[in-house]
Amino acid sequence: MSAKDDNDFDPDETAIIKEIYDSENAHEAFGEELERALEAGCKIIVIEPPRLGDETSRWIAVGNCLHKTAVLSGLGAIVCGIAWTEFPYTYTPLSVMSFFCTGLYTVSWQFDPCVKYQVYTDSKKLAKLPLFNALSSASPTVLIRKNDTKRKILHCSVTLASTLFCALKLYNIFNK
């Protein structure tokens, strides 16, 4: 979040999920409120209930891990394939890992509205936002909406390149 983003704060594009336990089903109500905010595409979502914030943070972290694993293993497969051309057992598993992670990410996260958000942790900048005066929680989870198109293109491109590279290498090795 840049200084420009701080000045562009729009309360209409912000959702605050308050930690108010007014019924036995409060946790389900928090989850439904989060779903509505995600579907609405709010720029900033503040989650006060710690359990919901932790679950959401973990879900986003798993997606981030799959993305990074797909990219790094795909790049590793290409580098290992160039460095050790005669040893397919070095680059083939990396390419398979990249393919698996991209596939899992595509199936599990691509259509999830949470994929468009990242957990924001810079407490100094968060404290400057006007919405923090209205919060009752001292440590809420803050989600910022990000454009993930470049990210998806990156990991799909790297996976495709590593898969094709590996397939070509294996084809050349076994058809000599």
Side-chain angles (χ1 to χ4, degrees):
M1 184 182 279
S2 65
K4 180 182 180 238
D5 293 333
D6 291 343
N7 297 334
D8 290 345
F9 174 74
D10 185 1
D12 294 334
E13 295 184 4
T14 301
I16 300 175
I17 297 158
K18 295 274 190 188
E19 186 175 20
I20 300 172
Y21 295 94
D22 55 359
S23 70
E24 290 180 16
N25 301 327
H27 289 289
E28 286 106 25
F30 298 152
E32 290 171 11
E33 198 174 337
L34 175 61
E35 282 295 321
R36 283 192 298 274
L38 291 169
E39 293 293 333
C42 296
K43 278 187 178 179
I44 300 172
I45 300 174
V46 181
I47 306 170
E48 286 188 343
R51 186 170 122 193
L52 180 62
D54 290 343
E55 289 170 0
T56 305
S57 295
R58 275 187 257 130
W59 181 249
I60 291 171
V62 169
N64 290 344
C65 181
L66 283 174
H67 162 72
K68 289 175 185 172
T69 303
V71 171
L72 293 175
S73 60
L75 291 174
I78 293 169
V79 169
C80 288
I82 292 170
W84 299 295
T85 57
E86 300 303 317
F87 303 107
Y89 54 84
T90 59
Y91 53 84
T92 303
L94 290 171
S95 183
V96 169
M97 176 68 81
S98 179
F99 187 81
F100 175 75
C101 288
T102 298
L104 189 57
Y105 184 92
T106 301
V107 169
S108 299
W109 276 267
Q110 184 170 351
F111 301 111
D112 189 317
C114 229
V115 78
K116 302 265 186 216
Y117 290 87
Q118 291 297 315
V119 178
Y120 196 71
T121 56
D122 188 347
S123 57
K124 290 179 183 177
K125 287 187 180 178
L126 288 173
K128 292 179 184 177
L129 290 175
L131 64 101
F132 273 83
N133 299 332
L135 298 179
S136 59
S137 174
S139 59
T141 301
V142 179
L143 306 179
I144 304 290
R145 186 173 173 85
K146 302 281 185 179
N147 184 353
D148 68 331
T149 305
K150 291 179 184 175
R151 173 188 181 131
K152 287 179 183 176
I153 290 171
L154 173 68
H155 81 246
C156 288
S157 299
V158 168
T159 297
L160 181 62
S162 73
T163 302
L164 291 174
F165 180 81
C166 184
L168 182 64
K169 289 290 217 178
L170 291 173
Y171 178 79
N172 289 337
I173 287 173
F174 292 112
N175 285 323
K176 284 187 176 179

